[in-house]
């Protein structure tokens, strides 16, 4: 059988296998020969070129926003198969088109946001115009010139329902977008004719093994051709393998493995520029030829030594180049604002009553007339029929700002009044702005502070009386710390794992041992735009303490009760705000911002 006759039989099989309803339907008179997106001053236009008498209906769908054009009485010319490249042109994010029904071509325009539009027919063109603030380079998908007068075989091959292909590769893994769809029926057709039919429909070069044979009985309805092709091969115990250049080999799995095992091995050095060769080696091992390929990283030159068949080396090197990309670099600036304010007001009155023979030697210092030395503070002298009194003796104000003493003699007694007052304001304002730069997905840590030595005493080390316990010294880090791991997304946003910390050291009172370490920190994950400032933490703590003590009954008297009491009002307010601002200082070849 000649090659021409084999091709004619395959095309006839596809044409004759179309469902009866479709075959009986009248052939549409019109054609859609191209779709274009062009720019004009202040406007953008989608131009659909048509031939013959057609009608167009338009309607809008939401989530996502899209405009649908149904060109009735037309078929999609087979040469119009160019995928939209995904560039946002005038608000259009994607254009899809397919043979929706045997006599309807559907064109879908996806927008970032829906716009007011106008649809008009101008001779052999359907124009959809809408507003656009920016100009852009035109895009078009037009059938080749040689398809303007299709042959009968070409007309038959385009009858199956077709959608745009996402990519022209055959793979067993699921693909994100589908290949052209096919509707066909076979009844006891030879596997050779079926494979030739798929080759004619897809435009691919498919080569069969010399021992491949069998009959196929199957009905396929509106399925991607590559998935239908693989399903039919699976029923025959066959596999398809794509070679460099796009040629597809069809044979049994054992035969394909045997062919690969006969191909000689070659070794190629692949230089790694940005990543580490050792980190890429494990990723490459998964795509090497099983039991034959190998990869060895050379850390000195940061090079991968790859050994595999000649047909596989090119694809492996391309895979390495896709992994070895320049990593974006980000600068993160944090601002930590900590304000600690304390207000203290204290006011107290103390009274001392006694005579020369009966007294408390606690507030008013008295002296022993025999020696001239002051009595001990806790001395109490009692004698005869007399009385001594003291009020608010222990209500002392430390570091008082005002001390007032008033003394008078009442009969044989001496009354001494002590007034103490204090008003103190303490303000601590700490503002730190650490900034750090790092690569994408790499943790960075910066600390601006100090290390405080702390003595740790092990009481259990004193095994016997008189043996001092063993002591050791540990260092405690305090200061401003920023730890961040950034990641730049494809739309140029920055995802960060952050930990910001501010700590200090405060010595405890002399009677206590050790130090106090106040700390404020925030740990979170957030997504921000390039150059945008985000608040990652905020905290306000207010503490109010009021204390009042005095002489029973007398301190509770209205108006004059304060003359017999001691009062203390303390308010402490702490405010913490943490801000962060990331900036991309080297995009590493990221796509431009939308």
């Amino acid at each position: 059988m000649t090659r021409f006759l084999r091709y004619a039989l395959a095309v006839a099989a596809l044409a004759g296998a179309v469902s009866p309803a479709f075959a009986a339907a009248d052939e549409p008179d019109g054609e859609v020969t191209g779709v274009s997106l062009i720019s004009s001053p202040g406007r953008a236009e989608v131009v659909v070129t048509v031939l013959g008498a057609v009608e167009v209906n338009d309607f809008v769908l939401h989530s996502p926003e899209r405009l649908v054009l149904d060109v009735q009485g037309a078929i999609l010319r087979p040469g119009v198969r160019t995928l939209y490249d995904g560039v946002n042109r005038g608000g259009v994010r994607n254009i899809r088109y397919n043979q929706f029904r045997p006599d309807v071509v559907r064109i879908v325009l996806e927008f970032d946001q829906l716009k007011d539009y106008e649809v008009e027919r101008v001779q052999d063109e359907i124009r959809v115009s809408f507003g656009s603030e920016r100009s852009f380079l035109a895009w078009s998908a037009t059938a080749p010139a040689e398809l303007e007068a299709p042959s009968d075989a070409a007309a038959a091959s385009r009858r199956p329902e077709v959608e745009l292909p996402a990519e022209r590769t055959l793979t067993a893994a699921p693909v994100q977008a589908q290949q052209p769809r096919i509707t066909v029926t076979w009844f006891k057709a030879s596997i050779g004719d079926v494979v030739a039919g798929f080759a004619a429909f897809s435009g691919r070069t498919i080569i069969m093994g010399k021992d491949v044979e069998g009959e196929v009985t199957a009905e396929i309805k509106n399925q991607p051709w590559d998935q239908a092709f693989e399903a039919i091969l699976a029923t025959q115990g066959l596999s398809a393998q794509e070679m460099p250049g796009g040629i597809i080999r069809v044979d049994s799995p054992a035969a394909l493995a045997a062919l690969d095992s006969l191909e000689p091995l070659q070794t190629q050095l692949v230089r790694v520029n940005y990543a580490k060769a050792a980190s890429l080696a494990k990723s490459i091992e998964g795509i090497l030829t099983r039991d034959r390929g190998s990869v060895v990283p050379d850390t000195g030159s940061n090079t991968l030594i790859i050994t595999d068949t000649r047909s596989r080396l090119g694809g492996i090197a391309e895979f390495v180049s896709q992994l070895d990309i320049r990593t974006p670099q980000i600068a993160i600036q944090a601002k930590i604002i900590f304000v600690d304010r304390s207000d203290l007001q204290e006011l107290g009155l103390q009274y001392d009553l006694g005579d020369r023979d009966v007294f408390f030697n606690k507030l008013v210092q008295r002296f022993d007339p025999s020696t001239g030395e002051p009595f001990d503070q806790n001395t109490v002298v009692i004698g005869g029929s007399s009385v001594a009194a003291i009020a608010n003796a222990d209500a002392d104000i430390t570091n008082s700002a005002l001390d007032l003493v008033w003394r008078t003699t009442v009969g044989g007694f001496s009354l001494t009044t002590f007034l103490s007052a204090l008003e103190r304001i303490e303000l601590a304002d700490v503002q730190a702005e650490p900034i750090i730069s790092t690569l994408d997905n790499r943790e960075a840590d910066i600390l601006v502070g100090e290390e405080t030595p702390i003595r740790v005493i092990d009481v259990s080390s004193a095994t016997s009386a008189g043996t001092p316990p063993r002591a050791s010294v540990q260092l405690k880090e305090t200061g401003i710390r920023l730890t961040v791991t950034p990641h730049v997304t494809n739309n140029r946003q920055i995802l960060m794992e952050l930990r910001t910390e501010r700590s200090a050291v405060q010595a405890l009172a002399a009677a206590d041992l050790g130090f106090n370490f106040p700390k404020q920190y925030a740990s979170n994950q957030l997504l921000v735009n390039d150059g945008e400032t985000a608040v990652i933490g905020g905290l306000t703590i207010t503490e109010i303490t009021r204390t009042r003590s005095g002489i029973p009954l007398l301190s509770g008297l209205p108006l004059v009760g304060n003359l017999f009491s001691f009062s203390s009002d303390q308010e402490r307010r702490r405010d913490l705000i943490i801000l962060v601002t990331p900036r991309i200082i080297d995009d590493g070849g990221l796509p431009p911002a939308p």
Side-chain angles (χ1 to χ4, degrees):
M1 182 181 293
T2 64
R3 180 179 179 183
F4 174 80
L5 182 56
R6 186 183 186 90
Y7 177 79
L9 289 175
V11 173
L14 282 175
V18 183
S19 61
F22 187 15
D26 294 335
E27 182 75 15
D29 296 332
E31 278 189 318
V32 174
T33 61
V35 181
S36 303
L37 178 56
I38 61 177
S39 175
S40 59
R43 306 286 290 177
E45 290 185 340
V46 176
V47 181
V48 181
T49 56
V50 295
L51 294 177
V54 298
E55 295 181 0
V56 60
N57 293 328
D58 62 276
F59 56 92
V60 174
L61 298 176
H62 301 280
S63 298
E65 306 296 339
R66 55 198 188 276
L67 171 63
V68 180
L69 302 175
D70 280 346
V71 182
Q72 298 181 353
I75 60 173
L76 183 65
R77 180 170 290 185
V80 187
R81 290 186 177 180
T82 303
L83 275 180
Y84 191 71
D85 54 10
V87 177
N88 191 325
R89 294 179 173 89
V92 178
R93 296 187 304 177
N94 192 16
I95 299 178
R96 297 181 285 110
Y97 43 91
N98 69 327
Q99 191 73 44
F100 182 65
R101 289 199 298 267
D103 61 341
V104 176
V105 176
R106 172 162 289 184
I107 303 170
V108 180
L109 310 178
E110 293 185 4
F111 293 91
D112 52 7
Q113 60 181 1
L114 199 58
K115 302 181 179 182
D116 295 333
Y117 65 93
E118 297 179 358
V119 180
E120 59 179 345
R121 174 74 181 270
V122 181
Q123 295 181 354
D124 293 336
E125 294 180 346
I126 300 173
R127 290 180 174 266
V128 181
S129 60
F130 46 88
S132 174
E133 297 179 356
R134 298 181 180 178
S135 60
F136 51 84
L137 296 177
W139 172 89
S140 65
T142 306
E146 59 269 16
L147 291 179
E148 291 182 358
S151 63
D152 293 340
S157 65
R158 74 187 178 213
R159 292 193 180 198
E161 299 178 7
V162 176
E163 286 189 358
L164 285 177
E167 54 182 339
R168 301 182 65 82
T169 57
L170 181 64
T171 172
V175 294
Q176 295 181 350
Q178 294 179 338
Q179 296 283 0
R181 292 178 175 268
I182 184 173
T183 299
V184 65
T185 301
W186 285 285
F187 179 73
K188 293 185 178 181
S190 68
I191 185 65
D193 292 339
V194 172
V195 171
F198 275 109
F201 176 80
S202 63
R204 305 293 295 272
T205 300
I206 305 177
I207 299 177
M208 297 176 53
K210 62 179 181 178
D211 297 328
V212 175
E213 58 183 13
E215 290 185 348
V216 176
T217 299
E219 182 179 2
I220 300 173
K221 295 182 179 180
N222 194 27
Q223 297 295 326
W225 76 267
D226 56 341
Q227 298 180 16
F229 185 48
E230 291 175 7
I232 289 177
L233 292 181
T235 61
Q236 303 294 317
L238 303 174
S239 295
Q241 184 182 68
E242 185 173 2
M243 301 175 60
I247 299 177
I248 300 175
R249 295 188 303 184
V250 175
D251 213 327
S252 64
L256 293 176
L259 291 175
D260 291 337
S261 64
L262 296 177
E263 188 175 357
L265 297 178
Q266 291 186 355
T267 300
Q268 181 177 348
L269 301 179
V270 180
R271 184 68 178 269
V272 180
N273 296 321
Y274 305 105
K276 293 183 179 180
S279 63
L280 295 181
K282 292 185 177 181
S283 301
I284 298 171
E285 288 177 355
I287 64 172
L288 296 174
T289 302
R290 187 176 180 181
D291 299 331
R292 300 196 70 194
S294 64
V295 56
V296 178
D298 181 69
T299 57
S301 60
N302 202 35
T303 302
L304 292 172
I305 305 173
I306 303 175
T307 301
D308 211 313
T309 60
R310 183 179 61 180
S311 61
R312 299 292 304 277
L313 279 178
I316 297 173
E318 178 64 22
F319 180 75
V320 173
S321 65
Q322 294 178 3
L323 294 178
D324 182 29
I325 57 177
R326 186 158 55 93
T327 305
Q329 188 170 352
I330 308 100
I332 298 97
Q333 179 180 6
K335 187 170 185 178
I336 304 174
I337 304 174
F338 179 72
V339 179
D340 190 349
R341 178 186 176 93
S342 297
D343 295 336
L344 177 63
Q345 293 181 355
E346 292 182 325
L347 179 64
L349 286 166
Q350 298 170 296
Y351 298 94
D352 184 280
L353 179 67
D355 58 17
R356 58 189 305 271
D357 295 325
V358 179
F359 56 83
F360 289 93
N361 191 49
K362 193 166 187 179
L363 294 180
V364 178
Q365 190 72 48
R366 293 173 174 83
F367 297 89
D368 187 353
S370 61
T371 62
E373 298 293 332
F375 284 103
D376 183 77
Q377 182 180 4
N378 296 319
T379 299
V380 179
V381 178
I382 301 176
S385 300
S386 185
V387 65
I390 187 170
N392 296 330
D394 296 324
D396 294 331
I397 297 179
T398 306
N399 299 325
S400 60
L402 174 64
D403 287 324
L404 180 63
V405 181
W406 177 74
R407 185 169 184 173
T408 185
T409 301
V410 181
F413 295 92
S414 176
L415 176 62
T416 306
T417 303
F418 297 88
L419 183 145
S420 299
L422 172 65
E423 182 175 357
R424 183 174 68 238
I425 298 176
E426 297 179 359
L427 177 64
D429 187 356
V430 179
Q431 296 190 19
E433 297 187 19
I435 184 171
I436 191 170
S437 299
T438 183
L439 295 176
D440 187 28
N441 293 319
R442 303 291 177 86
E443 180 181 292
D445 182 75
I446 183 173
L447 172 66
V448 181
E450 58 187 11
E451 291 185 339
T452 302
I454 302 174
R455 186 175 62 175
V456 180
I457 299 176
D458 185 6
V459 180
S460 62
S461 62
T463 57
S464 60
T467 302
R470 184 172 59 249
S472 61
V473 177
Q474 297 180 358
L475 297 178
K476 178 70 174 180
E477 289 183 348
T478 57
I480 306 297
R481 186 163 209 156
L482 173 63
T483 304
V484 58
T485 303
H487 169 64
V488 181
T489 62
N490 289 332
N491 59 349
R492 302 181 70 89
Q493 289 184 308
I494 302 173
L495 178 65
M496 294 179 293
E497 294 184 2
L498 278 163
R499 180 182 174 90
T500 53
E501 178 181 311
R502 181 262 176 188
S503 58
V505 57
Q506 293 180 354
L508 298 177
D512 298 325
L513 295 176
F515 300 91
N516 185 27
F517 295 94
K519 179 188 297 184
Q520 304 85 35
Y521 76 91
S523 178
N524 64 339
Q525 186 180 66
L526 72 161
L527 180 67
V528 296
N529 296 324
D530 181 18
E532 179 183 8
T533 299
V535 179
I536 65 173
L539 176 65
T540 298
I541 300 177
T542 302
E543 298 177 2
I544 299 177
T545 304
R546 291 188 174 91
T547 304
R548 189 171 184 269
S549 61
I551 302 173
L553 299 180
L554 295 179
S555 62
L557 295 175
L559 300 179
V560 297
N562 291 333
L563 297 177
F564 305 97
S565 64
F566 178 90
S567 62
S568 174
D569 293 338
Q570 183 175 6
E571 180 178 350
R572 185 177 184 184
R573 182 184 181 91
R574 286 171 289 179
D575 297 311
L576 173 66
I577 299 177
I578 303 176
L579 310 174
V580 64
T581 305
R583 291 183 175 86
I584 300 175
I585 57 179
D586 184 0
D587 59 12
L590 287 173

